[in-house]
Every structure is written in C-alpha cells, then in structure tokens.
C-alpha cells in the first residue's frame, strides 16, 4: 500500500486520489520486456507502443499509422505478433519481445542477418515491425497454423506449413513497406524459413 492508500497487485492496482473521492486514472504496471521487468506508473490509456517508446526508451517499434493498419509497431507478446499501438500497456501480462530483444549478445537474430544480407531494409522505418512479424509468422507456420492461402484440402494436423512466397506474402500482409522492398523481404524470410 502506498501513501495514497492504493494497494499494489501483481499486475496493476487502480488507485484513488488522495482525497479518496476522485478515481485516479493511473495504474502501476509491471511489464516483462526482453527478459527484464519494468515497474511503471502509467495513465490507464497508455498504449504498449507509447510505454515502450516514451517511458522505456525502446524506440525500435515505430509509430506509423497509430491505427493498427501498417504494422510498423509490431512486437511479440507471449510469442504472438501484435500491433502494439492497439494494446493498452495495463493489459499486457505476458512477456513482450521487441526488436531490441531479438539479437543475442554478440550476434543478430537470423532474420536480422537475412534482412541485411538481402538488402530488405531500404529506409528502415518498417523493418523492426517486419522482423518481429516474421519471427511470429515463422512460429505460427511451424505450429501448423494455416493462412488464408493455405490449401483447404491439406491434411488436418499435417505439421508445419510449407512457406511458399505466396504464403509469406499473405502472412506478412499486415506489415506495409512504403519503399516497396517486398521482394527482398520475402527473400530474406524464405532464407531463414528454409
């Protein structure tokens, strides 16, 4: 319990103002990001993207459209790719991985290396979201999750999906590259998927 009488739970604790009448619009939030735990006091309306960029200086995830349409802010939450501009930080109770958390201590993630080798970067603004999305997409395909273009007659429970260029394009369709580097992005993902 803090000086205002608010209690602190494992995730968040809604607080009341010092006068006890007016509800406070902030919460304590415990976010596990890239293997580190961060304790923050945030406005309840703070998106995960703004928490990352404005409160934790993790600026890899980019604010593009701020409406979940471009994918520039894609991060992994509990291993699943999400648009961090559409998620409130106070709701994130699973580990978050950003582009900053993908590389090892002395080596880039294989997808980061492939993007560099295939020159899939161009202006680079969308690249962190593209790479995080590709990491999530490869895991989805490995788990056998079908996409919109997966043949409907494939055997049920048939194991990992074969990632053809058509599959990769469909699965990455939520990430927009305004430079038009799509061919190189698909090549980079294919290289890691094979």
């Amino acid at each position: 319990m803090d000086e205002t009488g608010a209690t602190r739970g494992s995730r968040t604790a809604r607080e009341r103002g010092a006068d006890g009448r007016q509800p406070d619009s902030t919460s304590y939030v415990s976010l596990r990001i890239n293997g580190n735990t961060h304790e923050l006091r945030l406005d309840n309306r703070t998106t995960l993207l703004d928490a990352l960029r404005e409160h934790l200086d993790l600026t890899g995830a980019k604010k593009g459209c701020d409406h979940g349409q471009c994918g520039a802010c894609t991060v992994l939450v509990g291993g699943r790719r999400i648009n961090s501009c559409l998620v409130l930080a106070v709701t994130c109770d699973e580990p978050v991985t950003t582009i900053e958390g993908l590389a090892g201590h002395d080596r880039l993630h294989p997808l980061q290396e492939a993007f560099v080798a295939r020159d899939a970067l161009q202006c680079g603004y969308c690249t962190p979201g593209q790479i995080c999305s590709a990491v999530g997409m490869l895991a989805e395909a490995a788990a056998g999750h079908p996409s919109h273009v997966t043949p409907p007659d494939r055997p049920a429970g048939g194991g990992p999906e074969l990632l053809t260029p058509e599959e990769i394009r469909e699965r990455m369709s939520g990430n927009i590259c305004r430079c038009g580097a799509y061919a190189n992005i698909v090549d980079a993902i294919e290289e890691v998927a094979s």
Side-chain angles (χ1 to χ4, degrees):
M1 184 175 294
D2 69 9
E3 66 278 356
T4 67
T7 58
R8 183 175 180 162
S10 61
R11 282 284 305 127
T12 63
R14 177 164 247 173
E15 301 175 57
R16 295 200 172 275
D19 63 359
R21 290 185 237 155
Q22 186 68 23
D24 192 344
S25 62
T26 63
S27 294
Y28 285 113
V29 181
S30 178
L31 296 172
R32 183 107 177 124
I33 300 170
N34 301 330
N36 299 310
T37 300
H38 302 272
E39 305 284 340
L40 301 171
R41 185 173 178 162
L42 298 174
D43 186 297
N44 295 331
R45 300 163 292 182
T46 304
T47 64
L48 176 58
L49 176 62
D50 287 339
L52 293 171
R53 291 184 58 83
E54 305 300 328
H55 297 273
L56 297 172
D57 292 327
L58 294 170
T59 57
K62 300 295 189 285
K63 185 175 280 196
C65 66
D66 212 19
H67 289 83
Q69 297 175 342
C70 75
C73 65
T74 304
V75 298
L76 302 167
V77 177
R80 296 179 309 277
R81 52 190 170 152
I82 63 147
N83 293 320
S84 60
C85 71
L86 297 181
V87 175
L88 296 176
V90 296
T91 67
C92 290
D93 55 3
E94 293 183 274
V96 177
T97 303
T98 68
I99 192 71
E100 293 91 345
L102 288 180
H105 292 292
D106 57 353
R107 183 164 187 179
L108 295 175
H109 185 280
L111 274 165
Q112 292 171 312
E113 291 179 346
F115 268 62
V116 172
R118 298 287 182 156
D119 194 23
L121 307 169
Q122 297 209 12
C123 86
Y125 194 81
C126 71
T127 304
Q130 296 272 4
I131 292 174
C132 282
S133 188
V135 170
M137 181 270 290
L138 291 176
E140 292 163 12
H145 295 258
S147 77
H148 183 68
V149 298
T150 302
D153 58 347
R154 72 179 174 90
E161 293 295 337
L162 177 64
L163 286 174
T164 64
E166 183 183 24
E167 278 277 358
I168 293 171
R169 285 189 189 95
E170 168 58 24
R171 291 172 186 268
M172 294 294 293
S173 62
N175 291 77
I176 295 172
C177 171
R178 290 175 176 83
C179 297
Y182 294 116
N184 294 349
I185 291 170
V186 171
D187 288 348
I189 295 171
E190 256 190 314
E191 178 181 314
V192 175
S194 60

